[in-house]
Amino acid sequence: MRDDETVGQLLREARVASGLSREGLAHELKLPMRCIEAIETDDWESLPPGRARPLARQIADRLQVDLDLHTGAFQVVPGSIELSPPDPRQERLERIVMAGLTLASLAILAWLVVPGPSLGRKPAPAYLTGFSRAPLPPPPPPAPGPYPVLGELLPEAPIDEHGILVSLRAMDTCEARIQGEDGTVLLHTLRVSEPWRLRVKGPFLLMLDNAGVVGVEVAGIRIQHGQSVGAAWTGHFDAEGHWLKPAPASLPNAPIPPSGAESEPE
């Protein structure tokens, strides 16, 4: 081969050497005659775009011409650079590596999901293991402390040595005033869902400026004061927390029928 020899010249010389005509080669490869003529004359622009290299390869394989030995001439043929055929051994090695990675991933997933013994694992609850656990000791009682006479929040007995338990719960804003026997006065603004609980030494007065929205409980007894929203109310309570209700107004006397009078049937 000469250095200036082209692919078309190589294929034409190989065809002539094998005793084939253009018509016979075109009939055997089922190619149009114009394609054979364009390739042998290196008229690559006459071929369909992207078909120059594949057609040259097809004719070279039939004529047993190794174009890889003529890389300089083949580079002139227009078209993208062809990739080398895949190596079967490389493909087999890649499949083996991928299978190994898949098995390793499945093993790690199974180790994470399936429960097993672990030094850092917490003991299972008693309802899972079937063994009862010792009950926890009760919390220690709160340390006793001094209680003020007025204003301490203590959920204890209704009446004890510290006074009477008073509980107020409002559904709206209300001003509350508690006045003790010794003249001590405590003011507090009741708000929605904010209970006010305290101990008061009786007897005492409880005053509300919006009694209809306040629930009152004194010494564990609910006080039904019967006031409406916006109405003021004052309650008097004795030393035992009993509500000293005001005496009801006397009703006018009903007329007394004359003695000896009998009702006549209608």
Side-chain angles (χ1 to χ4, degrees):
M1 172 187 173
R2 301 187 309 272
D3 294 338
D4 58 348
E5 199 168 15
T6 64
V7 172
Q9 294 172 352
L10 287 172
L11 297 180
R12 184 175 61 255
E13 292 174 357
R15 177 183 59 77
V16 173
S18 62
L20 284 174
S21 63
R22 288 181 178 176
E23 292 79 2
L25 182 60
H27 179 74
E28 183 177 347
L29 298 179
K30 296 181 174 57
L31 294 176
M33 270 289 297
R34 58 183 180 82
C35 292
I36 302 297
E37 295 175 353
I39 291 174
E40 290 187 354
T41 58
D42 295 303
D43 186 9
W44 308 110
E45 295 181 358
S46 300
L47 298 174
R51 296 291 296 164
R53 286 176 175 263
L55 291 175
R57 284 279 188 189
Q58 184 179 1
I59 297 173
D61 291 342
R62 169 61 185 83
L63 300 176
Q64 297 181 355
V65 176
D66 190 359
L67 294 179
D68 293 334
L69 299 178
H70 309 279
T71 55
F74 194 56
Q75 286 178 353
V76 181
V77 179
S80 60
I81 300 176
E82 298 178 335
L83 299 177
S84 59
D87 187 358
R89 292 179 298 177
Q90 183 69 20
E91 291 183 346
R92 184 166 55 252
L93 180 60
E94 291 178 356
R95 286 196 296 267
I96 293 174
V97 171
M98 291 300 297
L101 292 176
T102 303
L103 293 177
S105 301
L106 293 177
I108 294 175
L109 182 61
W111 178 75
L112 293 174
V113 173
V114 178
S118 175
L119 295 178
R121 190 185 302 275
K122 295 182 180 180
Y127 66 87
L128 294 179
T129 59
F131 297 97
S132 61
R133 300 175 61 183
L136 297 176
Y147 298 101
V149 174
L150 198 63
E152 178 68 13
L153 302 176
L154 292 174
E156 295 181 352
I159 303 176
D160 60 12
E161 67 274 13
H162 303 290
I164 303 167
L165 181 62
V166 179
S167 178
L168 306 176
R169 181 182 293 273
M171 295 181 294
D172 201 349
T173 304
C174 176
E175 296 293 333
R177 175 188 176 99
I178 296 179
Q179 182 174 342
E181 185 183 21
D182 57 355
T184 304
V185 177
L186 185 64
L187 298 175
H188 185 76
T189 301
L190 300 175
R191 302 186 185 280
V192 179
S193 302
E194 292 183 3
W196 187 34
R197 296 167 60 87
L198 67 158
R199 293 275 177 186
V200 181
K201 284 286 189 179
F204 65 92
L205 277 74
L206 172 61
M207 289 162 278
L208 304 172
D209 69 344
N210 189 10
V213 299
V214 181
V216 180
E217 186 176 310
V218 178
I221 299 175
R222 185 163 184 87
I223 305 301
Q224 302 292 340
H225 49 68
Q227 297 298 316
S228 60
V229 176
W233 175 77
T234 300
H236 298 257
F237 297 88
D238 61 12
E240 301 298 326
H242 298 140
W243 180 22
L244 304 177
K245 298 181 181 180
S250 59
L251 297 175
N253 296 328
I256 300 175
S259 66
E262 295 181 0
S263 60
E264 296 180 359
E266 296 180 357

